[in-house]
Amino acid sequence: MRLNRFIIPGLCVAVLFGCGKDTTAVDTPPPNATVRYINALNDTGSVDIAMIDQTQWSAYAKPLAFRAGSAYQVVDATHPRHIRVFPTSTNAAVTSQIIDDETLTFTPGTRVTLLLTGSARANTAHFVAISDDIAPPPAGQIAIRAVNASTGAIDAYVVPRTSTAITGAPTFTNVAPLTASAYFARAVIPSNATGAATDTVAVRATPAGTTTVAASAQGPAAPASPPGDVFAAAGVNSQYTKFSVYFFPAGVPGSPQNAVANPSLVWFADRNPCDAGITC
C-alpha cells in the first residue's frame, strides 16, 4: 500500500515517514501453503467455502459447483486454519446454514487440494487433503494421475481418444475411494505451427477389475501463446504440465444433482508448465 504525502506551500507534511522520500510498505508473506478446493458433494447444490479465522492469506471459493474446482490460493500455514462450508444462496436463512466446519493444518511449502466429499444431507461432509506434486516431468513429457472421488475402487486407462477400446492392463489399477494414484509420465502431444494440438490424449475409467467403461474425458489442449508470451498454458501439448483426472460419482436421485445421471471424469491442472523449477 502506497502512503500518500500531502504538500502544503512552505511546509512538507508526510504521513508517518517524513518528507522527500517515496516509501512503500511491503506485506511479507508468512510461511505458506498453496490450496485449492474441489467439490465432490453429489447431493446438494453449489457451496461457498471460506477460511474464517483471518482475512489475509486465506483461500475462498464462492460459489463452487459439484465437480468444479477453485484456483490455487496462497494461505498462511503458521497455524491451523478454520474452514466452513455453506450452501450458496441469496437467502440469508439458507446461506447461514453450515454444511461443514473443521480446522485443518497445512505444511509450509506444500500444494494441496481439499476435496469436499461425503453427504450434505447426512451431515457427513468433510475435506480430504490430496497432495499435489509440483516437481516437473522430464522435458518433452506431461504427467497424469487418477483421483477417485467416488465410493468404489476404479481402474483408469490413459488412451489416445475417448472412443479407444479398453485393452491390456490399466494405467492406474484399483485406485481406492478418496485417494490418488501415482503420476504417469507420457510424451507431450505435439502442436502444429499455430500451436494447436495435432492429436489427443484421454482417460477412461472403469469399476476396478472390469472393462465396463463408467466415464471418459479428453485431455485439454493449451491454446497457442500470444507472440512474445513466454508463459505457456497448461495442456496435453505443453511439456512440464501435470494433471489430476478426478472420477466423480453420479448425482443422488431426488437431490439438486439429480440430472447428473452418470459418473464423470474431469481434468484439473496440478502444475502449469512455468511453475517453480522450470525457466520458460
Side-chain angles (χ1 to χ4, degrees):
M1 178 180 68
R2 184 174 298 279
L3 297 172
N4 293 324
R5 292 176 296 161
F6 300 92
I7 307 299
I8 301 175
L11 176 65
C12 180
V13 181
V15 180
L16 295 182
F17 294 105
C19 301
K21 185 177 181 180
D22 201 10
T23 304
T24 301
V26 177
D27 189 2
T28 303
N32 58 77
T34 306
V35 175
R36 74 176 168 193
Y37 302 109
I38 290 179
N39 182 7
L41 285 182
N42 63 340
D43 65 349
T44 191
S46 297
V47 297
D48 295 345
I49 307 174
M51 292 181 172
I52 64 169
D53 52 321
Q54 66 187 58
T55 301
Q56 287 187 308
W57 307 108
S58 295
Y60 304 88
K62 300 180 181 182
L64 191 66
F66 173 49
R67 301 179 297 181
S70 73
Y72 282 111
Q73 299 164 69
V74 176
V75 304
D76 184 349
T78 60
H79 58 89
R81 304 306 308 273
H82 189 184
I83 307 174
R84 280 184 179 166
V85 180
F86 308 90
T88 299
S89 176
T90 56
N91 184 335
V94 173
T95 197
S96 61
Q97 299 171 19
I98 299 174
I99 294 174
D100 182 37
D101 185 331
E102 57 186 296
T103 299
L104 300 175
T105 300
F106 302 99
T107 301
T110 60
R111 180 173 293 189
V112 177
T113 293
L114 293 183
L115 178 65
L116 182 63
T117 186
S119 168
R121 293 184 166 193
N123 295 318
T124 60
H126 63 284
F127 288 110
V128 172
I130 306 291
S131 177
D132 299 332
D133 182 6
I134 62 169
Q141 295 188 342
I142 60 173
I144 304 166
R145 69 175 177 179
V147 182
N148 185 1
S150 76
T151 57
I154 63 167
D155 293 337
Y157 299 75
V158 177
V159 293
R161 295 170 181 80
T162 55
S163 59
T164 302
I166 296 299
T167 59
T171 310
F172 312 109
T173 303
N174 198 30
V175 183
L178 307 180
T179 65
S181 73
Y183 286 96
F184 167 75
R186 60 148 293 154
V188 67
I189 296 296
S191 299
N192 60 24
T194 65
T198 59
D199 203 346
T200 62
V201 58
V203 171
R204 310 196 77 187
T206 70
T210 79
T211 55
T212 302
V213 176
S216 303
Q218 181 176 316
S225 297
D229 188 353
V230 297
F231 297 106
V236 297
N237 54 332
S238 290
Q239 64 178 341
Y240 307 125
T241 303
K242 275 188 166 178
F243 290 104
S244 284
V245 185
Y246 277 71
F247 179 81
F248 293 98
V252 173
S255 78
Q257 302 304 330
N258 181 72
V260 184
N262 299 300
S264 54
L265 288 168
V266 180
W267 289 64
F268 294 93
D270 299 341
R271 184 190 193 284
N272 288 327
C274 300
D275 269 345
I278 292 293
T279 301
C280 289

